[in-house]
Amino acid sequence: MNLIFLGPPGAGKGTQAKMVTGRYGIPQISTGDILRQALKDKTPMGVKAKEFMDAGKLVPDDVVIGIINDRLREGDCKAGFILDGFPRTVAQAEALSGLLGKMGRQIDAVIDLAVEERFLVERLTGRRTCKNCGMGYHITFSPASKTGVCDKCGGELFQRDDDNEATVIKRFKVYKEQSELLGAHYSAGGRYRKIDGAAPMEQVFKRIVEIIDA
Ligand code: AMP
């Protein structure tokens, strides 16, 4: 099962992708996570990407297409994958279909998580992640039992540099200008499903499972 998750920043793509990984065993491929890891490792790509990420802008297409090209060829993608945060532009979508075509593969479902922007600022600015295991929390909606400490592994929780209000607003603008169009791009193909991403997490997941199992 080869999946794409679309939706604005904070729509829950990463959370749902992790749940799908847990149930179906296919890997979550988040270009944002790969770029943040590259930055942590201080690779030239990570250092270059930081300027764009901190400004709430998209990293150039050639960089993220290169990441996806390498990642999809890894052994764990054989049974399927979930693309979380890629593609974000029509050029990336076209490059992806070219890459998959060369590999004799195709996308089985494009799931677009629709959430109104007014709900998203609070979701994003309150988001916290474990440095150690990647578990996600929210200071209001799903807080850790002990502030700043992961319930699962005891790791330290951190806030992403780009989850501050000013950068979040820039990220929405970029989404509207460059990524929202992907809905129309994919809806022509018949494998596109738009679902209510504002529903409770478990309900959203149930809907995703129905689409995957259909
Ligand atoms: P995310 O973790 O998906 O919210 O991505 C965080 C940031 O990484 C974005 O605001 C972009 O700067 C960059 N990024 C992630 N994925 C892409 C992509 N497919 N195209 C361009 N930039 C990306």
Side-chain angles (χ1 to χ4, degrees):
M1 181 55 71
N2 305 329
L3 304 170
I4 293 176
F5 281 2
L6 298 178
K13 301 185 292 294
T15 304
Q16 295 295 333
K18 284 188 179 64
M19 292 165 85
V20 171
T21 296
R23 182 164 177 137
Y24 295 92
I26 54 175
Q28 168 194 14
I29 303 178
S30 156
T31 36
D33 284 350
I34 294 170
L35 290 166
R36 279 184 289 278
Q37 185 61 47
L39 176 58
K40 218 167 141 189
D41 297 341
K42 298 197 170 62
T43 70
M45 178 180 81
V47 172
K48 190 177 163 215
K50 182 176 162 55
E51 307 163 25
F52 296 94
M53 295 168 84
D54 284 351
K57 292 185 182 159
L58 294 185
V59 171
D61 283 341
D62 58 330
V63 175
V64 284
I65 292 165
I67 291 176
I68 290 295
N69 184 29
D70 295 344
R71 184 66 185 87
L72 289 180
R73 289 168 201 280
E74 288 178 29
D76 63 339
C77 294
K78 280 213 175 82
F81 52 79
I82 312 149
L83 292 177
D84 156 17
F86 182 95
R88 264 177 153 101
T89 63
V90 172
Q92 290 177 21
E94 283 167 354
L96 174 66
S97 79
L99 290 177
L100 291 174
K102 276 193 215 144
M103 297 169 81
R105 304 183 72 172
Q106 61 173 21
I107 292 298
D108 299 303
V110 177
I111 302 178
D112 196 350
L113 301 174
V115 187
E116 281 179 56
E117 192 177 309
R118 63 194 168 103
F119 296 125
L120 294 173
V121 178
E122 193 184 4
R123 271 200 191 184
L124 286 163
T125 54
R127 194 154 79 160
R128 300 290 183 272
T129 312
C130 175
K131 265 188 186 166
N132 183 41
C133 74
M135 178 82 184
Y137 294 87
H138 190 281
I139 53 170
T140 312
F141 308 132
S142 54
S145 317
K146 193 172 163 211
T147 306
V149 182
C150 180
D151 290 346
K152 210 170 114 192
C153 75
E156 188 189 336
L157 304 187
F158 75 99
Q159 179 177 28
R160 271 171 51 170
D161 288 344
D162 59 352
D163 275 348
N164 63 79
E165 193 163 340
T167 311
V168 161
I169 288 164
K170 288 187 197 140
R171 287 160 65 200
F172 288 148
K173 189 165 178 277
V174 167
Y175 171 76
K176 281 209 192 100
E177 288 170 358
Q178 302 191 60
S179 310
E180 209 171 23
L181 305 167
L182 289 170
H185 177 85
Y186 282 114
S187 59
R191 298 194 172 91
Y192 172 81
R193 297 283 177 276
K194 190 168 193 156
I195 66 172
D196 177 14
M201 194 169 77
E202 292 300 335
Q203 263 180 43
V204 177
F205 184 57
K206 197 166 158 250
R207 186 69 198 100
I208 292 174
V209 167
E210 281 166 9
I211 293 170
I212 296 175
D213 292 347

